[in-house]
Amino acid sequence: RCILKMKELRERDPEVSAIIVVGNWPMTNETLWMDFIDEERKDITSEEKQLITIISDSSPEQVELVTRRYGNGLVGQLPYRMGELSL
């Protein structure tokens, strides 16, 4: 569903240059994620038009996708440490 919403956003406003997702949802289905990124890339003629994607979490699978250039960045979290520091 998240990837569908990202597609709808791009269709409504092709000038959107970045999408930041605060969960790992779009990358949980690797095939759908790669298809989305490949579709975005097929019409790119310059760097200015590239869609930038930033996704939270940093599972090994997500790191692999970003390493393979299927994403621009991840925001890793350390929930235990965050809780520890808040006390």
Side-chain angles (χ1 to χ4, degrees):
R1 179 172 166 102
C2 185
I3 291 176
L4 176 62
K5 293 297 182 186
M6 292 168 65
K7 287 180 181 181
E8 288 173 1
L9 175 64
R10 288 290 280 176
E11 288 170 3
R12 267 196 324 261
D13 187 354
E15 296 299 313
V16 168
S17 61
I19 296 177
I20 301 170
V21 181
V22 294
N24 69 345
W25 312 292
M27 289 179 137
T28 56
N29 185 322
E30 188 174 309
T31 302
L32 287 177
W33 176 255
M34 290 171 56
D35 289 348
F36 172 73
I37 297 297
D38 287 339
E39 184 68 26
E40 284 293 321
R41 287 180 180 159
K42 80 175 189 178
D43 295 323
I44 292 175
T45 56
S46 67
E47 281 297 313
E48 297 94 44
K49 293 183 180 180
Q50 180 181 0
L51 176 67
I52 296 169
T53 56
I54 307 294
I55 311 295
S56 68
D57 293 334
S58 55
S59 71
E61 295 82 11
Q62 288 176 290
V63 171
E64 175 63 24
L65 284 167
V66 171
T67 300
R68 292 171 41 209
R69 304 181 79 86
Y70 280 95
N72 299 94
L74 300 171
V75 178
Q77 303 172 56
L78 302 169
Y80 180 82
R81 183 77 173 130
M82 291 162 49
E84 185 178 64
L85 290 172
S86 69
L87 295 176

